[in-house]
Amino acid sequence: MNLTGIWPAMVTPFTENQRINEDAIQKLTNYLIEAGVHGLFALGTNGEFHMLDRDEKLAVAKEIIQTANGRVPVMVGTGGNSTKEVIELSRDMEALGADALSIITPYFVAPDQTDLAVHYETIASAVTIPVMLYNIPSKTGMSIEAETVARLAKHPNILGIKDSSGNFDNIQAYIEATKNEEFAVFAGTDSLILQTLRAGGQGAVAATANVLPDKVLAIYEGFQNNDEQQAEEAQSSLQPLRETFVLGAIPSSLKKAVELAGIPAGPPRLPVTEAKGEVLQKIENMMQGYNLHTR
């Protein structure tokens, strides 16, 4: 599998009564594919995987996979604390037709780096589709060290890593540690997309692409075409949207932006509440600055 390009970190649309909104999932999936994204990343942090039960995860993945219908690959998050549980869910996602798996580090528990490597190797050996490691220490309380990534990159079924540490030095360390392997390093922090590509990374899993796929794609395309001005302008254009992410718990601001752009993303799952009042006004003002056409 060729892991490259821009993969939106899809939100999971809900109805007002907190149920999965299948129609909105279809609409978002089609919109992103028609925009030209290289793949879809489902059930990540912005997809509220940690708020969904097993059946809901399978339902969301099934809807996206069926709607995509092979037009682009679909990567699905199956991470968890228990290696056994992750394997069971991963095999179910593979049976549904997922093209790849994203597996976040365990959270709440804190395995050492040897335990972590065994966790990933055991999972990757239990499925036949590719695995992308997912590092987000601010949410999990632990980080995958570069030496561990170098070990895991040698596994034939582990093909990449998404780094959402926000630390470019970390991304550089991953690139250097895996330079002799067929291994993709993706930016998971949207402000570092262009910097990651310049350093030798292969792409990004981008939350902003839910709202601004054209601009995120322009970063990648500008870099590929040696159009530095296009790439830099597109990278800078993401900042107003990114600045609203800190106005509420993930993904309340992003889901409101998606909704204002024309796709009924609905509220986050409780206890996170939707953006209201002054926060909502700031998001609305930001969206007006992009002058988007309603989808």
Side-chain angles (χ1 to χ4, degrees):
M1 182 180 181
N2 188 22
L3 280 178
T4 188
I6 302 301
W7 297 55
M10 296 177 69
V11 298
T12 300
F14 295 132
T15 63
E16 290 304 316
N17 64 358
Q18 300 273 299
R19 296 184 181 276
I20 293 167
N21 187 335
E22 290 87 355
D23 290 342
I25 291 174
Q26 293 173 15
K27 188 172 184 180
L28 179 59
T29 301
N30 283 322
Y31 172 73
L32 295 173
I33 293 173
E34 289 163 8
V37 301
H38 302 95
L40 298 172
F41 183 95
L43 298 176
T45 305
N46 284 284
E48 299 175 88
F49 82 95
H50 49 288
M51 298 290 196
L52 303 175
D53 65 31
R54 178 187 179 83
D55 289 342
E56 288 175 321
K57 290 178 182 179
L58 291 169
V60 170
K62 182 178 180 180
E63 200 69 52
I64 294 170
I65 291 165
Q66 290 185 343
T67 304
N69 195 29
R71 290 177 288 171
V72 297
V74 176
M75 184 181 299
V76 180
T78 57
N81 281 340
S82 160
T83 305
K84 176 178 179 290
E85 179 184 357
V86 175
I87 288 172
E88 291 172 351
L89 182 58
S90 296
R91 284 174 169 168
D92 285 345
M93 292 298 186
E94 182 176 8
L96 280 181
D99 298 288
L101 303 170
S102 163
I103 300 178
I104 197 169
T105 62
Y107 38 89
F108 190 75
V109 296
D112 64 25
Q113 293 294 306
T114 299
D115 290 343
L116 185 61
V118 171
H119 172 73
Y120 277 117
E121 289 165 344
T122 303
I123 295 164
S125 297
V127 294
T128 63
I129 56 177
V131 167
M132 174 175 268
L133 314 174
Y134 181 6
N135 189 57
I136 182 168
S138 65
K139 303 301 181 188
T140 65
M142 68 169 305
S143 185
I144 313 176
E145 295 177 3
E147 293 79 5
T148 305
V149 174
R151 168 179 166 172
L152 294 172
K154 298 183 183 300
H155 192 289
N157 224 25
I158 299 176
L159 300 189
I161 186 168
K162 172 196 175 189
D163 181 71
S164 297
S165 67
N167 182 354
F168 181 67
D169 289 343
N170 206 51
I171 291 174
Q172 278 191 311
Y174 290 162
I175 292 171
E176 179 64 25
T178 59
K179 63 184 179 181
N180 296 323
E181 307 292 341
E182 291 293 325
F183 190 83
V185 177
F186 271 41
T189 303
D190 291 19
S191 61
L192 298 178
I193 296 172
L194 181 55
Q195 201 171 352
T196 298
L197 294 171
R198 286 171 172 164
Q202 283 72 34
V205 174
T208 53
N210 284 278
V211 182
L212 305 171
D214 293 346
K215 294 186 182 298
V216 183
L217 284 163
I219 301 171
Y220 183 80
E221 292 162 357
F223 174 78
Q224 293 295 322
N225 296 329
N226 295 313
D227 188 336
E228 286 296 306
Q229 182 176 351
Q230 173 186 312
E232 289 175 2
E233 289 178 353
Q235 178 68 78
S236 296
S237 73
L238 304 183
Q239 193 57 26
L241 174 58
R242 292 193 73 252
E243 288 175 355
T244 66
F245 291 174
V246 300
L247 299 178
I250 294 175
S252 60
S253 297
L254 176 58
K255 292 190 91 169
K256 184 57 68 175
V258 172
E259 187 172 287
L260 291 170
I263 291 177
R269 180 152 283 183
L270 296 172
V272 179
T273 58
E274 63 181 324
K276 296 178 181 177
E278 183 179 345
V279 169
L280 175 57
Q281 185 63 57
K282 289 180 178 179
I283 297 170
E284 289 175 340
N285 292 342
M286 175 275 298
M287 289 295 289
Q288 288 173 5
Y290 285 114
N291 194 29
L292 296 175
H293 296 293
T294 301
R295 298 166 191 164

